[in-house]
Amino acid sequence: MGVWNARVRPVTLPPRNAHARPTSAMAAAFIALIALLVAPTTALAAPGGAGAGAGADGTVHGGLSRPDYSYANAIRESVWVDTGFDADSDGRTDRVAADIIRPREPARAGRKIPVIMDASPYFACCGRGNESQRKTYDAQGRPVQFPLFYDNYFVPRGYAVVLVDLAGTNRSDGCADVGGRYDVGSAKAVVDWLNGRATGYSERGGGKKVKAGWTNGKVGMIGKSWDGTIANAVASTGVRGLKTIVPISAISSWYDYYFQQGAALYDGGPQWLSDYVESADAKRKCAAVQQQIVDGSPRNGDWTSFWQERDYTAHADKVRASVLLVHGKQDLNVRTKHFGQWWDRLAANHVERGIRLSQTGHVDPFDFRRGTWVDTLHRWFDHYLLGVRNGVEREPMGSIERTPDHWADSAEWPAAATRTTTVRPRPGAVPGLGTLGLAPAGPGSTESFTDDPKIGEDGWSANVDRPTPAKAAFTTGVLKKDLRLNGSGSVTLTAASSTTSAHLSAVLVDLGPARIRDFAAAGEGIKTLTTKSCWGRSTKGDSACYKDTAADTAKVGYTVFSRGWADLGHYGSGKHGVRLTPGKAYRITVRLAATDHVVPAGHRLALIVAGTDAGLLEPADTKPTVTVYLARSFARLPLVGGSRNVPPSATSPAATGRPLHGLPGPVLKHPLPGSAFLG
């Protein structure tokens, strides 16, 4: 079975990664006794307890590093690394703060160790993880709390953990530039320092030069959201020493965070984010950089040099590191287009990689599949940073959550049997209700809709079998067997607008009852419990215990599982928009976000075409009626089994005026994500 095998292990032996879980005193003693009885003699090298007297080389047994080093006695220090930039124009090059925790025993013995690194703008302003942990320091400024479990779990196993404040945030100099050269360069500089190619200092201003003589230079970057984005970006520089990255819900091109094909997805712009995370010192010094951000990112959706600099997919051919990619299939903050286009470029360049897709929104795997995720991450880092031959690289490439807490492995991703298949919309007996199948529409066939910015995908889907003016819906017949879509698709539309501007939405909908993670709720598919579990070692100032979580589910009558948006005025190269000539037909291909979804037998597949997707897309400056020419429109979908699994088109059902199956969909309860921070 794969890395993400969800089966329960036998309980007669301790877990192979020795997770520390809350137990009663009797249960804890029993587990300790069993561990002593079954442990091989090599694991008994630390008779005074884990870490006390541990050998310099630590213990690797059963393909896993063991917690042989003391967390309480670990070295905790801060180093400021020279970036070579003077973004804040104060006359000296900017230094970024790297807070480090590493086991003391290897340092004494002269053994070199690898690094797990998280570079983030959030360590002071907002915190990391489900409990929003921040860095803390003692009275002398020495680091005390390292957010998240990476330090608690991996330092005892022979790793250093380095948490970097991106330029302009927390204790770093410089200016935040939202994925630009200062952001990326500040993180890359630390990788360079760890490999002896940059200069570090003991103080933010002045101090002694500090070398990272304790590390072997092997670095694995990890992080969620902006942090994971920086991991992608640094990997795209091809920097030597970066051996693996684990981007979680990460951006691959910043343009696609704010726009899709010219259509604005967020209010405000990147200057809002930089202002949100910058330190007070940076706010005083970085007005010029802030203005450059404003000038480079106009809200017209055009592709500028600002966005070009922040498109990491363009440099995927430089990636040397392996990639373990994690994303929520219903992430409406960093949408799944990001992982899809990044994955495709990595695949084209034969990068060693794995992928994990949940039913959640913008959620860390520690909070939707905790035990399995820690086990997977442990084995992944052991292999790529310690060189342990544990076979993780040969296990199934993908693991996908099909229903809440039920996962399926995929030997390859997309699946080997996936074929890009052309399906076509046709008119039905009732205007606005068409069919979807393999046969093309007849010449002159059209469907029309009028943009209503107050209605979005939930309103369209709930009324999929009812003619409404704001959408055109096309449905297949009832499926006789499961239909799996995995990968990225597209919808090509030939359309004319009644006004000089028009936005288009195309969504794929699974029509049928299901229980799903409630990604539209506040927890985006999880609920936080009052109990805690512990993952590693603790100190008074840094606990390894975190609140448990569980799936937050909802019964629904339909599920929107892939989305695409575009401004029709960007029909050409997509780099610059134009005003439309009313009544003139234009052809545009709307790129759908990547997904892996199974439409079960007994359900139907729908393609809905409409205007503004309320709550997710900013409306155009007009409210056009859009006519779609069906004979010159089609969708190309990544179907496992290809066209043979597409059912014959069926006549659209008569209008009922009732919600599908009597169940609503997951109605979005949060505002447009631009009003919240990325993390």
Side-chain angles (χ1 to χ4, degrees), residues 1 174 318 343 363 383 402 421 472 579 615 677:
M1 298 296 293
K318 297 179 183 177
W343 181 267
V363 180
H383 177 70
R402 294 287 175 224
T421 305
R579 303 300 285 178
F677 68 88

Side-chain angles (χ1 to χ4, degrees), residues 384-634:
Y384 288 103
L385 299 181
L386 287 179
V388 177
R389 296 180 180 178
N390 55 25
V392 70
E393 78 283 9
R394 297 189 301 274
E395 295 185 357
M397 181 178 285
S399 193
I400 299 91
E401 188 176 25
R402 294 287 175 224
T403 58
D405 289 325
H406 293 90
W407 295 73
D409 286 346
S410 184
E412 299 178 61
W413 201 89
T418 303
R419 301 289 181 268
T420 300
T421 305
T422 300
V423 296
R424 302 177 184 278
R426 291 169 56 91
V430 178
L433 302 181
T435 63
L436 188 66
L438 300 176
S445 300
T446 63
E447 288 285 5
S448 297
F449 59 85
T450 300
D451 191 2
D452 186 341
K454 299 187 299 296
I455 303 175
E457 59 187 46
D458 298 309
W460 306 330
S461 300
N463 292 288
V464 69
D465 293 329
R466 178 183 179 184
T468 55
K471 59 117 175 54
F474 308 92
T475 60
T476 67
V478 174
L479 300 179
K480 294 184 178 180
K481 55 184 177 180
D482 293 353
L483 179 65
R484 179 183 174 190
L485 298 89
N486 67 147
S488 302
S490 64
V491 178
T492 296
L493 299 172
T494 301
S497 170
S498 65
T499 62
T500 57
S501 65
H503 284 175
L504 299 173
S505 297
V507 299
L508 296 178
V509 191
D510 176 346
L511 302 177
R515 180 178 288 278
I516 65 169
R517 286 187 183 260
D518 192 1
F519 64 87
E524 299 191 54
I526 66 164
K527 52 187 175 184
T528 303
L529 309 178
T530 57
T531 58
K532 289 187 175 183
S533 58
C534 304
W535 302 84
R537 305 287 168 75
S538 297
T539 62
K540 183 178 180 180
D542 195 326
S543 174
C545 304
Y546 298 85
K547 290 181 179 179
D548 296 316
T549 62
D552 183 14
T553 65
K555 289 183 178 180
V556 296
Y558 58 84
T559 306
V560 179
F561 64 88
S562 184
R563 305 159 176 87
W565 305 284
D567 170 56
L568 186 55
H570 283 74
Y571 69 93
S573 67
K575 293 185 177 181
H576 301 288
V578 298
R579 303 300 285 178
L580 303 173
T581 299
K584 180 180 177 179
Y586 300 88
R587 184 169 180 166
I588 188 169
T589 296
V590 180
R591 295 188 292 274
L592 295 175
T595 189
D596 191 322
H597 182 85
V598 174
V599 183
H603 288 204
R604 292 176 293 148
L605 171 67
L607 167 64
I608 299 177
V609 180
T612 300
D613 195 344
L616 295 172
L617 190 67
E618 291 185 3
D621 55 8
T622 62
K623 296 180 181 179
T625 295
V626 175
T627 300
V628 179
Y629 297 88
L630 301 183
R632 290 183 284 165
S633 300
F634 55 87

Side-chain angles (χ1 to χ4, degrees), residues 133-493:
Q133 287 189 320
R134 293 171 171 82
K135 286 181 177 180
T136 63
Y137 303 89
D138 65 15
Q140 289 73 44
R142 293 184 296 247
V144 174
Q145 176 171 271
F146 288 73
L148 305 177
F149 76 97
Y150 306 137
D151 58 308
N152 309 90
Y153 189 84
F154 284 105
V155 169
R157 288 169 167 80
Y159 293 83
V161 171
V162 177
L163 303 186
V164 180
D165 297 328
L166 290 182
T169 70
N170 199 18
R171 302 201 297 174
S172 288
D173 298 333
C175 304
D177 65 348
V178 191
R181 61 177 182 149
Y182 302 139
D183 257 21
V184 180
S186 60
K188 179 181 177 294
V190 178
V191 177
D192 283 332
W193 174 71
L194 292 167
N195 282 272
R197 299 187 298 268
T199 305
Y201 295 89
S202 59
E203 298 177 15
R204 183 172 182 176
K208 298 178 180 179
K209 290 184 179 180
V210 179
K211 293 185 177 181
W214 45 266
T215 179
N216 59 16
K218 293 182 178 180
V219 181
M221 291 187 69
I222 188 171
K224 173 183 170 236
S225 201
W226 197 331
D227 307 20
T229 302
I230 295 301
N232 283 342
V234 174
S236 75
T237 70
V239 63
R240 297 190 308 278
L242 184 60
K243 299 299 182 182
T244 192
I245 63 171
V246 185
I248 301 166
S249 300
I251 291 169
S252 57
S253 173
W254 280 89
Y255 176 89
D256 294 311
Y257 185 69
Y258 289 101
F259 301 95
Q260 185 163 342
Q261 296 179 248
L265 295 166
Y266 287 85
D267 56 349
Q271 72 277 4
W272 185 93
L273 269 182
S274 60
D275 184 67
Y276 193 86
V277 301
E278 277 188 331
S279 65
D281 185 53
K283 290 181 191 299
R284 290 193 300 270
K285 297 180 178 179
C286 295
V289 173
Q290 284 279 6
Q291 190 59 49
Q292 290 170 9
I293 294 173
V294 173
D295 294 343
S297 56
R299 293 301 290 165
N300 59 12
D302 284 356
W303 178 260
T304 65
S305 59
F306 179 92
W307 302 118
Q308 184 176 359
E309 179 186 349
R310 291 159 175 79
D311 178 14
Y312 312 128
T313 67
H315 304 289
D317 58 332
K318 297 179 183 177
V319 174
R320 304 166 182 255
S322 63
V323 180
L324 179 57
L325 186 154
V326 184
H327 219 101
K329 292 187 288 182
Q330 294 289 4
D331 191 338
L332 296 177
N333 185 337
V334 179
R335 292 159 306 281
T336 60
K337 179 183 180 182
H338 288 277
F339 90 73
Q341 60 193 11
W342 184 237
W343 181 267
D344 290 345
R345 293 301 302 273
L346 295 175
N349 290 285
H350 308 290
V351 173
E352 200 161 65
R353 63 203 183 280
I355 188 167
R356 310 292 183 251
L357 300 175
S358 74
Q359 276 198 346
T360 65
H362 199 62
V363 180
D364 193 290
F366 188 71
D367 295 314
F368 61 70
R369 207 181 185 199
R370 186 167 295 180
T372 306
W373 173 242
V374 175
D375 181 58
T376 297
L377 197 60
H378 184 180
R379 299 175 69 227
W380 188 271
F381 281 149
D382 274 2
H383 177 70
Y384 288 103
L385 299 181
L386 287 179
V388 177
R389 296 180 180 178
N390 55 25
V392 70
E393 78 283 9
R394 297 189 301 274
E395 295 185 357
M397 181 178 285
S399 193
I400 299 91
E401 188 176 25
R402 294 287 175 224
T403 58
D405 289 325
H406 293 90
W407 295 73
D409 286 346
S410 184
E412 299 178 61
W413 201 89
T418 303
R419 301 289 181 268
T420 300
T421 305
T422 300
V423 296
R424 302 177 184 278
R426 291 169 56 91
V430 178
L433 302 181
T435 63
L436 188 66
L438 300 176
S445 300
T446 63
E447 288 285 5
S448 297
F449 59 85
T450 300
D451 191 2
D452 186 341
K454 299 187 299 296
I455 303 175
E457 59 187 46
D458 298 309
W460 306 330
S461 300
N463 292 288
V464 69
D465 293 329
R466 178 183 179 184
T468 55
K471 59 117 175 54
F474 308 92
T475 60
T476 67
V478 174
L479 300 179
K480 294 184 178 180
K481 55 184 177 180
D482 293 353
L483 179 65
R484 179 183 174 190
L485 298 89
N486 67 147
S488 302
S490 64
V491 178
T492 296
L493 299 172

Side-chain angles (χ1 to χ4, degrees), residues 5-83:
N5 182 358
R7 294 182 300 176
V8 177
R9 293 193 183 95
V11 295
T12 54
L13 298 178
R16 62 183 177 185
N17 50 0
H19 296 155
R21 304 173 190 269
T23 61
S24 68
M26 182 178 295
F30 177 74
I31 290 174
L33 175 62
I34 294 298
L36 286 173
L37 291 174
V38 303
T41 56
T42 55
L44 302 179
D57 292 333
T59 300
V60 174
H61 178 70
L64 288 173
S65 58
R66 297 292 177 172
D68 285 345
Y69 300 120
S70 171
Y71 180 74
N73 294 325
I75 297 169
R76 295 164 172 83
E77 59 188 339
S78 299
V79 174
W80 280 264
V81 178
D82 195 326
T83 66

